[in-house]
Amino acid sequence: MCRWLVYCGTQPILLKDLIFAPQNSLIHQSFNGGFHPGLSGKNNMGLNADGFGVGWYGCSGAAIFRSVSAAWNNRNLRELCGSVESRCVFAHVRAASGSVISEENCHPFRYGPLLFQHNGHIEGFKRIKRRIFAELRDDVYDWVEGTTDSEACFALVLTLIDPAHLKQQFVPAEALRSAMLGAIALLRTFLHEAEITKGYSTFNFALTDGRTVIVTR
């Protein structure tokens, strides 16, 4: 499984102080997963080397930097994190669960003012993928670039948000909450209808517009 962090505060923080500096930083965990308390082989990976991404909010709104390289070995990430401050930050290190390693598949994903990231997987995703995509609005369907279950989940969330909200700087908190819970409910329905009962799905989602953060587990 992947690993991620979220910061949302009243004061901006230097990305380096958030992502690199802590003793148990996300960068440290990406190459030393055993440092994580409660590590188990079922739901943790010892190495997160299949790409990374950072999302933040600046003067022009949401921005992302993603790469397929290992986070601990990317000079550009270190340079960027030493210069950028933000009051809302998403960061993600990836351990691919069957999908292609590409920038399009790295988190966080961005759509308009929103950022989204996921830790985990959707069991039997290929068996419900067509059902998920059948629910999407045309504009959201056309936006999807990658092949991950995570991006498909985000697309489902986006479809449940009024398009007018997505043209604004901020989305009402209740609209974000309702869309996230609605997407999870649909996913559970699709899994049930496909009779996927073995294994497990993890809906560890994070969604933000830079002001409100919705997190599920």
Side-chain angles (χ1 to χ4, degrees), residues 27-125:
I27 296 299
H28 184 97
Q29 292 184 39
S30 70
F31 64 82
N32 186 12
F35 192 78
H36 187 281
L39 178 72
S40 74
K42 178 180 178 180
N43 58 5
N44 287 278
M45 298 294 290
L47 196 66
N48 297 88
D50 296 328
F52 69 86
V54 179
W56 69 94
Y57 288 80
C59 59
S60 299
I64 55 174
F65 172 56
R66 301 185 296 184
S67 172
V68 296
S69 69
W72 68 82
N73 198 37
N74 190 290
R75 291 184 178 182
N76 291 330
L77 176 63
R78 190 175 293 274
E79 287 290 325
L80 178 77
C81 289
S83 300
V84 174
E85 292 184 336
S86 180
R87 287 190 291 269
C88 185
V89 180
F90 275 21
H92 186 282
V93 290
R94 186 172 182 237
S97 55
S99 55
V100 175
I101 298 174
S102 67
E103 287 189 8
E104 293 82 2
N105 285 342
C106 291
H107 311 218
F109 304 100
R110 180 185 63 188
Y111 186 101
L114 301 183
L115 296 176
F116 177 92
Q117 59 189 6
H118 175 209
N119 167 32
H121 75 290
I122 305 303
E123 190 72 27
F125 172 62

Side-chain angles (χ1 to χ4, degrees), residues 98-156:
S99 55
V100 175
I101 298 174
S102 67
E103 287 189 8
E104 293 82 2
N105 285 342
C106 291
H107 311 218
F109 304 100
R110 180 185 63 188
Y111 186 101
L114 301 183
L115 296 176
F116 177 92
Q117 59 189 6
H118 175 209
N119 167 32
H121 75 290
I122 305 303
E123 190 72 27
F125 172 62
K126 291 183 179 180
R127 292 170 56 187
I128 66 170
K129 181 178 179 180
R130 183 183 293 273
R131 187 72 179 84
I132 293 173
F133 276 73
E135 291 288 329
L136 304 184
R137 286 199 319 267
D138 289 346
D139 59 308
V140 176
Y141 180 90
D142 292 339
W143 163 81
V144 175
E145 295 182 316
T147 59
T148 63
D149 53 358
S150 303
E151 189 179 30
C153 292
F154 183 29
L156 198 57

Side-chain angles (χ1 to χ4, degrees), residues 6-25:
V6 172
Y7 171 83
C8 188
T10 58
Q11 298 298 320
I13 188 171
L14 187 68
L15 268 60
K16 181 179 179 181
D17 291 341
L18 183 67
I19 298 170
F20 281 90
Q23 181 182 5
N24 188 23
S25 69

